Amino acid sequence: MIDDLAEDCHDVEPLLHPLGFIYTPLARWGHATLRLHLWPPVAQRRGLAADEVSPMHDHTWDLISYIAHGCLDNIEVGVVEVAEPSSADFRVFNICGEGPVDRVTRTDALARIEHERRTRHVARSIYTQPAEVVHRTEAGAEPTVTLVLALRTGRQVERALGALDLPSYTSRRQAFPQTSFGEALRDVLAGHRS
């Protein structure tokens, strides 16, 4: 399937995700979506800006991810809500997606990080990430390709952690050129075969 996408990706609509990877839906069912995620080499990745939330977030869906090429670390973050800003590391933000537009809304909830649990996942392995668990993903320095099955739950709003003084904002996911997406996949496959 990845070979086919690398050769002719005219039937997909890649988007650049705020977390630095390129993704494209491959199939949709009533409660599930299959997507391909491509992290370019680290030097070509977009990082989050100071006026955006951190990479720590949760999902409204359960995730099953197959690492086709490369490797990544999934870091689950233990978060505790606190009452006082002096005890807080972050503010909690709600993220409501409307197509390619994300409305990132500041809440009154404050949080502190208590612990992190890092797991490494390499090519030809599978990992799962339940909905509502705060985490962040760090792909290796080389390109990484994953197939992600997202199983929707009943929750509608995702959350992310951001700076205490960060205001609400709106961001739009940018289309990524199909030809560039195919070229990037061909580069990954060429490197894997050499």
Side-chain angles (χ1 to χ4, degrees):
M1 179 177 65
I2 294 172
D3 286 338
D4 289 346
L5 285 170
E7 292 307 317
D8 181 10
C9 58
H10 296 290
D11 294 328
V12 297
E13 297 177 1
L15 293 169
L16 182 58
H17 194 281
L19 293 176
F21 60 88
I22 304 149
Y23 72 99
T24 188
L26 301 175
R28 283 192 174 96
W29 303 277
H31 71 291
T33 302
L34 179 66
R35 303 190 325 193
L36 184 134
H37 290 191
L38 166 63
W39 280 265
V42 72
Q44 298 172 15
R45 287 182 207 151
R46 173 201 184 273
L48 286 166
D51 60 352
E52 296 177 287
V53 292
S54 79
M56 292 178 279
H57 63 284
D58 70 4
H59 295 294
T60 58
W61 32 269
D62 296 324
L63 172 149
I64 303 170
S65 183
Y66 170 73
I67 316 301
H69 299 284
C71 69
L72 57 76
D73 288 353
N74 188 56
I75 302 104
E76 291 188 358
V77 181
V79 176
V80 174
E81 286 199 21
V82 296
E84 297 299 324
S86 59
S87 304
D89 299 318
F90 295 96
R91 181 174 300 281
V92 178
F93 288 76
N94 288 336
I95 303 175
C96 197
E98 299 166 8
V101 175
D102 288 328
R103 302 199 186 287
V104 183
T105 307
R106 170 188 174 102
T107 73
D108 292 332
L110 304 174
R112 183 179 72 239
I113 305 299
E114 281 210 325
H115 64 274
E116 294 184 346
R117 185 173 68 91
R118 179 182 294 262
T119 54
R120 168 142 304 172
H121 306 281
V122 298
R124 294 185 294 276
S125 67
I126 294 173
Y127 77 96
T128 60
Q129 180 63 57
E132 301 187 36
V133 174
V134 177
H135 69 284
R136 70 181 190 276
T137 304
E138 296 176 1
E142 298 303 316
T144 299
V145 178
T146 64
L147 291 170
V148 174
L149 181 62
L151 304 168
R152 188 142 312 269
T153 64
R155 209 167 115 230
Q156 298 298 313
V157 177
E158 296 183 342
R159 297 172 300 167
L161 303 181
L164 295 172
D165 59 350
L166 183 67
S168 299
Y169 65 95
T170 299
S171 70
R172 174 176 287 278
R173 297 183 185 188
Q174 301 299 313
F176 191 83
Q178 293 176 351
T179 53
S180 299
F181 184 68
E183 288 169 13
L185 283 175
R186 285 193 293 277
D187 288 347
V188 170
L189 295 174
H192 177 69
R193 291 179 181 135
S194 60

Short mmCIF file of all heavy atoms in Angstrom, two decimals, residues 11-12 48 114 131 138 172 178:
data_model
loop_
_atom_site.label_atom_id
_atom_site.label_comp_id
_atom_site.label_asym_id
_atom_site.label_seq_id
_atom_site.Cartn_x
_atom_site.Cartn_y
_atom_site.Cartn_z
N ASP A 11 -5.09 10.19 -5.31
CA ASP A 11 -6.38 9.97 -4.66
C ASP A 11 -6.37 10.31 -3.18
O ASP A 11 -7.33 10.03 -2.48
CB ASP A 11 -6.82 8.52 -4.84
CG ASP A 11 -7.11 8.20 -6.30
OD1 ASP A 11 -7.56 9.10 -7.02
OD2 ASP A 11 -6.85 7.06 -6.70
N VAL A 12 -5.26 10.87 -2.67
CA VAL A 12 -5.20 11.23 -1.26
C VAL A 12 -5.05 12.75 -1.12
O VAL A 12 -4.69 13.43 -2.07
CB VAL A 12 -4.04 10.50 -0.54
CG1 VAL A 12 -4.27 8.99 -0.56
CG2 VAL A 12 -2.69 10.87 -1.14
N LEU A 48 6.23 23.31 16.94
CA LEU A 48 5.20 24.20 17.45
C LEU A 48 5.83 25.53 17.85
O LEU A 48 6.94 25.57 18.38
CB LEU A 48 4.51 23.57 18.67
CG LEU A 48 3.54 22.43 18.34
CD1 LEU A 48 3.19 21.66 19.60
CD2 LEU A 48 2.28 22.97 17.70
N GLU A 114 3.19 15.18 36.78
CA GLU A 114 3.69 14.37 37.89
C GLU A 114 4.74 13.38 37.45
O GLU A 114 5.69 13.11 38.17
CB GLU A 114 2.53 13.63 38.57
CG GLU A 114 1.74 14.49 39.51
CD GLU A 114 1.16 13.68 40.64
OE1 GLU A 114 0.78 12.51 40.42
OE2 GLU A 114 1.07 14.24 41.76
N ALA A 131 -7.84 6.68 24.28
CA ALA A 131 -8.38 8.04 24.32
C ALA A 131 -8.22 8.59 25.74
O ALA A 131 -8.15 7.84 26.71
CB ALA A 131 -9.86 8.02 23.93
N GLU A 138 7.43 11.50 19.83
CA GLU A 138 8.70 11.99 19.30
C GLU A 138 9.23 10.96 18.31
O GLU A 138 9.61 9.86 18.70
CB GLU A 138 9.71 12.20 20.42
CG GLU A 138 9.29 13.28 21.41
CD GLU A 138 10.25 13.43 22.58
OE1 GLU A 138 11.28 12.70 22.62
OE2 GLU A 138 9.98 14.28 23.45
N ARG A 172 -5.26 26.54 11.20
CA ARG A 172 -5.76 25.83 10.03
C ARG A 172 -4.68 24.87 9.55
O ARG A 172 -3.53 25.25 9.38
CB ARG A 172 -6.11 26.80 8.91
CG ARG A 172 -6.52 26.11 7.60
CD ARG A 172 -6.96 27.13 6.56
NE ARG A 172 -8.25 27.68 6.89
CZ ARG A 172 -9.41 27.08 6.60
NH1 ARG A 172 -9.42 25.93 5.98
NH2 ARG A 172 -10.55 27.65 6.91
N GLN A 178 0.53 16.92 -3.08
CA GLN A 178 0.51 15.47 -3.31
C GLN A 178 1.81 14.98 -3.93
O GLN A 178 2.31 13.92 -3.56
CB GLN A 178 -0.67 15.11 -4.22
CG GLN A 178 -2.01 15.34 -3.56
CD GLN A 178 -3.17 15.08 -4.51
OE1 GLN A 178 -2.98 14.89 -5.70
NE2 GLN A 178 -4.37 15.09 -3.98
#
